[in-house]
Amino acid sequence: MEYKNLLVAKEGGIATITISRPKALNALNAEVIGELYALWKELEADENIRVVIITGDGEKAFVAGADIGELKELDALGGIELSKRGQSLLWNIENSDMVSIAAVNGFALGGGCELALACDIRIASENAQLGQPEVNLGIIPGYGGTQRLTRLVGKGMSKLLTFTGDMADAQEAYRIGLVEKVVPQAELKETVNKIAGKILSKGPKAITAAKRSINAAANTDLDSGLRYEMAEFGAVCATEDSKEGTTAFMEKRKPEFKGR
Ligand code: DAK
């Protein structure tokens, strides 16, 4: 499929999606959401792709939010439609067997911050600014920001950012756990590719099981989470990859994982 607002590059198991609406700082209008939804499905169907990097075009913005011009025109039904598509896109990203990394290369505001929050890992450039400024517009986060931001940085910090609409610069975002690493803009791509490559070198089944188990931690009580981990652990023990990984260690060689 052709995408008007997305650049897609695939290389050795890694897909990089660049959201490209430079005139609106890569803001998410309904068309971009629809394209991301379709592209995500396309990547899911490609069994070679195991890590997806999401970034924004240019050096100024990751995604500056939902498209405010479009939001202004929304009626109730339109709002529900947009919400359905956007929320299921982010749910698909969060619950995918593929690992997602947000390369936050500038402003990640509102829906842009929420997109980054749905990814597994966030790496920011030094010029990045993240926040949920929806209250400035008289609305609240609508793509899961109140939930995912709170789980990541805690209730108080989530409220501070959301109630004030203030942006956190990259260092502050790192300090509060909103991003996992901060690097100079010139090193962002290389850093993210290196992390993606490292993840690719591990057993695919193990990465998926670990992702599901860690996601469960945010959604369940400790006892249920531990039971979930136990079941996933049991399942990976039955994979060829777990035999290969442990045998390779004993034989002092590098494992060759097959994803089985
Ligand atoms: N939407 C549309 N256009 C945007 C935009 C946005 N979010 N952000 C920036 N632009 C456009 C600007 O209008 C400007 O266009 P021109 O005037 O050149 O035509 C161009 O991008 C460059 O922006 P600026 O001239 O403003 O650049 P500055 O460097 O001065 O400022 C800025 C950069 C990022 C601080 C500023 O652009 C800004 O404050 N932007 C808005 C950020 C924001 O409030 N984001 C949150 C949007 S609300 C929902 C789910 C989710 C949501 C809503 C509903 N449902 C489930 C229904 C989410 C809501 C949001 O994200």
Side-chain angles (χ1 to χ4, degrees), residues 50 143-144:
R50 289 175 36 220
Y143 286 147

mmCIF file of all heavy atoms in Angstrom, residues 50 143-144:
data_model
loop_
_atom_site.group_PDB
_atom_site.id
_atom_site.type_symbol
_atom_site.label_atom_id
_atom_site.label_comp_id
_atom_site.label_asym_id
_atom_site.label_seq_id
_atom_site.Cartn_x
_atom_site.Cartn_y
_atom_site.Cartn_z
ATOM 1 N N ARG A 50 10.469 -7.857 13.324
ATOM 2 C CA ARG A 50 10.320 -8.129 14.764
ATOM 3 C C ARG A 50 10.470 -6.887 15.622
ATOM 4 O O ARG A 50 10.063 -6.868 16.787
ATOM 5 C CB ARG A 50 11.321 -9.205 15.187
ATOM 6 C CG ARG A 50 10.918 -10.585 14.620
ATOM 7 C CD ARG A 50 11.912 -11.665 14.906
ATOM 8 N NE ARG A 50 12.508 -11.506 16.201
ATOM 9 C CZ ARG A 50 13.811 -11.725 16.444
ATOM 10 N NH1 ARG A 50 14.624 -12.115 15.485
ATOM 11 N NH2 ARG A 50 14.288 -11.554 17.655
ATOM 12 N N TYR A 143 -6.018 9.367 23.836
ATOM 13 C CA TYR A 143 -5.428 8.130 23.319
ATOM 14 C C TYR A 143 -4.698 7.373 24.427
ATOM 15 O O TYR A 143 -3.621 6.839 24.219
ATOM 16 C CB TYR A 143 -4.464 8.428 22.171
ATOM 17 C CG TYR A 143 -5.150 8.809 20.868
ATOM 18 C CD1 TYR A 143 -4.560 9.714 19.992
ATOM 19 C CD2 TYR A 143 -6.369 8.252 20.513
ATOM 20 C CE1 TYR A 143 -5.180 10.068 18.795
ATOM 21 C CE2 TYR A 143 -7.005 8.600 19.328
ATOM 22 C CZ TYR A 143 -6.404 9.498 18.475
ATOM 23 O OH TYR A 143 -7.020 9.843 17.299
ATOM 24 N N GLY A 144 -5.304 7.386 25.616
ATOM 25 C CA GLY A 144 -4.752 6.572 26.703
ATOM 26 C C GLY A 144 -3.730 7.284 27.576
ATOM 27 O O GLY A 144 -3.132 6.664 28.456
#
